[in-house]
Amino acid sequence: MQITLASMLGNTITVDDVPDGADGADAADAANAAIKDQAASTTTCTFDVFDMHCAACASLIEDKLRRCRGVTRARVHYSTQRARISFDPALVSEDRLLATFDELGYSACTEARQSRAELVKRQRQQHIWKFGLATLCAMQIMMLTLPRFLAGVDMEPELGPLLDWAALVLLLPVVFVCAGGFYRGASRELRMHRPGMDMAIVLGIVSAFAGSVWHLSAGTGTLYFDSVAMFVALLLGVRWLAWEQRERNQAAIQQASNGATTATAMRFCGDGRDQNMSAVAASAVRPGDRLWVRTGEAIPVDCTLESGAAVCDESLLTGEAAQVRHAAGETLIAGAINCGGAITVTAVATVDESTERRLLSLADESAKPETLALADGVARYFMPVLLVVAVATFFVMLPGGISIALERGIAVLIISCPCALALAAPAAQARAFAGLLSRGIVLRRVAALDRLVEANYFLLDKTGTMTTPNLIGLSGLRPDITQAQALRRIAALEASANHPLGAALRAVATPEPHAAGLIVKDLQWTPGEGVSGIIDGTEYRLGRTEFVSAIAKLPAANADHAHLWLADHSGPICAIEVGETLRPGALDLVATLKQRGDVEILSGDHAEKTTRIAALLGATATPGAQTPENKARRVKALQQAGHTVVMIGDGVNDSVGFAGADVAIAVGSATDAARSSADIVCTTDDLSTIAECIKYAGRTRQVMRSNFAWAIAYNVIAIPFAVAGFINPLVASVGMAASSAVVMLNVMRLDVRSA
């Protein structure tokens, strides 16, 4: 058995089933069966996760989930506050996964089990209640503490202890109720052997509280009740601020998802040869509907294959890079990409909120950028260093008295809490994700933002990306075929092409009255070259000169490579002249890109057209007729020359280049194949959104750098002051909260548009 799977390499898409012996066939069938069995036995579920305060929380949950028996894949994202888990239902249930979140101290839910809106409302009430109680108690404790500072030694002996014990009573609900979330966080960090931000907070609270209670019982030393209450209240305020920002991000994601273009499907109408097709929303597809899926499109719903064979890329669903061959009667999973010729399928299920799920699943597959990895490392290793500094400060100051030593040790623990450092990058990345999505841009891989800022060479596809094609006219029409007949053959051959040029050719084909639709058999598509098929027993080819010349001799005088051709074995039928217009925002995009580096048009079209469009745009042009392999080689050559390459395209023939580019951007009209390979996906047709994305990436980097600079400078300056005794615990608590608030307010400079 020989199966040719070459759709992504620019070769002709064919599937040959040649018996090479029973053993070979059995092996291939067994391999395909194993893949299908694995996909059938694995369920993927998305959980909304709450209470994640930084990227370290996401890493901790991810590590725990991957250790669970039956879990094959787990991705947890701080940016989207979601966990996407693939698991075997026979080995682990959703209830057990939810229990795993609960064991770690995080709340999680699925929309099917509990409304996210209800959980958000409940959590907001908890944030308000805890912050309000802590703030009220802190203010009352300050009122009780203030007379001692003002009166000093003149305070009545009986009144001082009374005020102190009253302050302790007011502090108890703050320490044992309001601060409960910090204890749960520190506990899970201890269980996972990953000390982090909550551990530092708890050490500061416990040491200051225990030291104050000991001093109160002994009747000597300094009390830190006001410092502890203020520390907890301010921390809760910062946590509430961060939580509200994340929820606003989530609301922006929801609005952008609901406002995105609805996925469509081609549905058959009528019976027999009188049947035709109409584009319908994927949400309107019902079981039993017959659909036509073109090359490069995603399967809109779960369906059964009617055609003889299909080749699908299921990597977005299974994680396996290999393409899978399916035979007639087999089930195709929604989301798989059709890499072969056009296929006919029968829907067996409906789609529910497909656009929202698709946008968020693209984001859920994103890789963790280097900045978030750095934040994880900081959160993991900063705590031990902080503890060593605090303990060393305590013992160094101990000869001067335990009261002084305790005060300085507590001040170090509080003021150097790594909240600001841990939030510096993740908060900015989360805000950037929501901000871009509100602009019609899906950030599949957050690391692409960093590389996009550094990019200095931009490769642009032409047809469908920078231009919109349109048919100018036919010339050299063969006498035995009318123009209407030629247009109908063109439309039939191009009906399976998921590309703007195919749409332009189909748009001009006006069926003759009462004419039956043409049936195309053995349809084969060669990316960047053309399409062939058999209509009423005659083989036709439509495409470039070299492609069509394989079955027909073209007139030498007209074979100038400036036209497309339609021909059969009897000779050329007509030459097709195709024009094109610039897409909205094309000039602005090129102008923005030229400010950052070189811009080059890398097109599979004829050299003459490529040069003309490049001149209109003010870009350079690579000689035309670039195959997918040539595009990939061009990307590699530029990278070897030291360039950071961004490739912008829309078609299946761009996917190979996308795989090698530093940043791959799929435009709004891109095929599903191109989208699955891209780092950044535009959901709008306006190219100016790409220019805005590049500018937004630059602002995001500036915010992250300023966050890191502030957080590092704060700790470098504040810790020595605390060690030297210039900062007491109360001032330290204010400074710590202020540093985190500065980071969050800086992040909010990255605006998110309202849908």
Side-chain angles (χ1 to χ4, degrees):
M1 175 176 289
Q2 179 181 0
I3 302 174
T4 302
L5 306 175
S7 63
M8 304 302 284
L9 299 178
N11 301 321
T12 303
I13 300 175
T14 61
V15 178
D16 299 323
D17 193 353
V18 182
D20 291 331
D23 292 341
D26 291 343
D29 290 340
N32 286 335
I35 292 174
K36 289 192 288 291
D37 288 343
Q38 182 182 4
S41 63
T42 301
T43 298
T44 299
C45 189
T46 301
F47 295 82
D48 287 309
V49 185
F50 301 88
D51 307 323
M52 288 196 295
H53 307 300
C54 61
C57 295
S59 296
L60 188 150
I61 299 172
E62 196 172 277
D63 290 345
K64 179 67 174 180
L65 288 172
R66 287 174 177 172
R67 296 196 193 104
C68 292
R69 181 171 176 264
V71 173
T72 58
R73 192 180 190 197
R75 296 301 303 275
V76 183
H77 295 271
Y78 174 79
S79 298
T80 59
Q81 296 286 291
R82 294 161 64 90
R84 188 172 177 83
I85 308 170
S86 298
F87 59 95
D88 186 346
L91 299 176
V92 63
S93 65
E94 284 189 19
D95 290 332
R96 183 68 193 93
L97 294 175
L98 288 171
T100 301
F101 286 104
D102 188 61
E103 290 170 5
L104 290 173
Y106 297 97
S107 303
C109 73
T110 60
E111 192 65 31
R113 290 172 173 262
Q114 189 171 13
S115 170
R116 177 185 172 87
E118 293 178 3
L119 275 176
V120 168
K121 180 180 179 181
R122 190 183 310 156
Q123 287 216 328
R124 179 173 283 112
Q125 291 174 346
Q126 290 179 356
H127 279 291
I128 294 173
W129 181 79
K130 288 184 178 181
F131 174 69
L133 178 60
T135 303
L136 177 63
C137 291
M139 294 172 61
Q140 296 303 315
I141 292 172
M142 292 291 292
M143 291 178 63
L144 294 174
T145 307
L146 185 61
R148 291 188 64 92
F149 286 107
L150 295 178
V153 295
D154 297 330
M155 173 72 67
E156 293 291 336
E158 298 83 5
L159 183 59
L162 180 62
L163 294 176
D164 294 337
W165 283 102
L168 174 61
V169 172
L170 288 170
L171 183 61
L172 292 178
V174 177
V175 172
F176 293 104
V177 178
C178 299
F182 303 128
Y183 302 137
R184 289 191 293 272
S187 175
R188 64 173 168 256
E189 289 172 359
L190 278 177
R191 291 197 305 270
M192 299 296 291
H193 306 291
R194 297 182 62 171
M197 188 163 51
D198 284 333
M199 182 70 71
I201 293 171
V202 167
L203 281 175
I205 294 173
V206 171
S207 59
F209 177 75
S212 298
V213 172
W214 180 76
H215 282 307
L216 179 60
S217 302
T220 59
T222 306
L223 305 181
Y224 308 111
F225 295 150
D226 52 351
S227 301
V228 174
M230 188 64 68
F231 182 51
V232 174
L234 292 175
L235 270 175
L236 290 173
V238 171
R239 288 277 174 97
W240 184 17
L241 176 64
W243 182 88
E244 289 288 355
Q245 184 228 305
R246 290 196 300 271
E247 285 307 312
R248 282 195 292 271
N249 293 348
Q250 199 70 20
I253 292 170
Q254 183 73 31
Q255 289 176 337
S257 300
N258 293 339
T261 302
T262 303
T264 59
M266 299 299 294
R267 183 169 63 186
F268 284 105
C269 304
D271 300 315
R273 292 185 61 86
D274 293 331
Q275 66 184 355
N276 52 52
M277 287 179 293
S278 62
V280 297
S283 57
V285 174
R286 294 292 177 265
D289 288 348
R290 297 180 65 243
L291 309 174
W292 199 25
V293 183
R294 297 173 291 189
T295 301
E297 284 186 337
I299 309 297
V301 295
D302 290 344
C303 54
T304 301
L305 178 64
E306 287 189 10
S307 306
V311 180
C312 295
D313 178 0
E314 300 178 352
S315 58
L316 279 180
L317 305 168
T318 65
E320 299 293 335
Q323 295 167 340
V324 182
R325 177 180 182 263
H326 293 277
E330 293 184 352
T331 299
L332 304 183
I333 305 172
I337 296 172
N338 176 28
C339 296
I343 57 176
T344 303
V345 298
T346 301
V348 297
T350 61
V351 60
D352 179 29
E353 300 176 348
S354 59
T355 301
E356 177 183 355
R357 281 207 314 270
R358 188 171 180 182
L359 286 174
L360 295 180
S361 67
L362 286 175
D364 289 339
E365 294 300 318
S366 64
K368 183 179 295 184
E370 292 79 2
T371 49
L372 290 187
L374 175 61
D376 289 349
V378 167
R380 186 178 304 179
Y381 300 113
F382 183 81
M383 181 56 211
V385 174
L386 167 62
L387 186 58
V388 169
V389 172
V391 172
T393 301
F394 176 81
F395 282 107
V396 169
M397 295 295 135
L398 194 56
I402 190 171
S403 179
I404 295 177
L406 187 61
E407 177 177 327
R408 295 194 184 182
I410 292 172
V412 170
L413 283 174
I414 291 177
I415 202 165
S416 57
C417 179
C419 298
L421 203 54
L423 288 171
Q429 298 283 14
R431 186 74 170 179
F433 178 85
L436 289 174
L437 194 54
S438 69
R439 289 164 168 78
I441 299 168
V442 178
L443 189 60
R444 288 198 60 209
R445 299 178 181 91
V446 185
L449 282 182
D450 293 332
R451 296 194 294 266
L452 192 58
V453 177
E454 299 169 355
N456 57 9
Y457 211 105
F458 302 88
L459 297 176
L460 313 180
D461 179 45
K462 180 178 69 68
T463 307
T465 300
M466 306 304 293
T467 65
T468 301
N470 59 284
L471 180 65
I472 295 178
L474 307 182
S475 60
L477 192 66
R478 204 163 70 190
D480 61 328
I481 294 183
T482 66
Q483 177 170 310
Q485 290 173 332
L487 288 174
R488 288 182 61 217
R489 284 161 174 76
I490 292 171
L493 291 169
E494 286 290 341
S496 66
N498 187 18
H499 191 272
L501 178 57
L505 295 175
R506 291 193 300 270
V508 297
T510 304
E512 298 172 348
H514 309 295
L518 297 178
I519 304 300
V520 183
K521 298 181 179 179
D522 297 334
L523 190 68
Q524 294 182 352
W525 179 59
T526 304
E529 296 293 334
V531 62
S532 65
I534 297 176
I535 302 176
D536 295 331
T538 302
E539 181 184 358
Y540 292 88
R541 284 203 172 196
L542 171 64
R544 291 184 176 175
T545 301
E546 298 84 352
F547 180 74
V548 176
S549 296
I551 66 168
K553 184 178 180 180
L554 303 179
N558 294 327
D560 57 1
H561 305 282
H563 300 84
L564 299 178
W565 293 87
L566 174 66
D568 57 19
H569 284 284
S570 299
I573 295 175
C574 64
I576 307 165
E577 186 175 357
V578 179
E580 48 195 346
T581 56
L582 294 180
R583 290 184 58 185
L587 290 172
D588 292 339
L589 173 60
V590 172
T592 299
L593 298 181
K594 288 176 69 176
Q595 297 174 1
R596 299 173 177 270
D598 298 320
V599 181
E600 180 179 315
I601 303 297
L602 189 65
S603 175
D605 207 347
H606 305 294
E608 178 184 344
K609 292 183 179 180
T610 302
T611 303
R612 181 175 63 83
I613 294 298
L616 287 176
L617 292 170
T620 59
T622 300
Q626 295 292 317
T627 64
E629 294 93 335
N630 288 341
K631 290 185 177 183
R633 282 193 286 267
R634 179 59 176 160
V635 169
K636 186 175 181 180
L638 290 170
Q639 290 172 332
Q640 291 175 342
H643 295 288
T644 300
V645 181
V646 174
M647 187 171 180
I648 304 175
D650 73 315
V652 175
N653 58 340
D654 296 316
S655 300
V656 180
F658 274 12
D662 294 289
V663 181
I665 302 177
V667 298
S669 59
T671 63
D672 293 308
R675 288 170 178 253
S676 68
S677 304
D679 302 301
I680 297 171
V681 178
C682 297
T683 60
T684 66
D685 292 327
D686 190 352
L687 293 176
S688 62
T689 58
I690 299 178
E692 192 167 359
C693 175
I694 295 174
K695 296 175 182 177
Y696 200 92
R699 293 199 299 271
T700 302
R701 169 176 274 195
Q702 290 176 355
V703 167
M704 283 193 297
R705 286 184 171 179
S706 59
N707 280 350
F708 273 120
W710 162 255
I712 293 172
Y714 162 78
N715 281 281
V716 168
I717 295 173
I719 292 177
F721 274 87
V723 172
F726 294 109
I727 297 176
N728 62 37
L730 179 60
V731 176
S733 63
V734 175
M736 179 283 308
S739 67
S740 299
V742 168
V743 167
M744 297 306 303
L745 292 173
N746 191 38
V747 165
M748 294 177 70
R749 291 168 49 205
L750 296 170
D751 59 310
V752 175
R753 293 177 176 175
S754 299

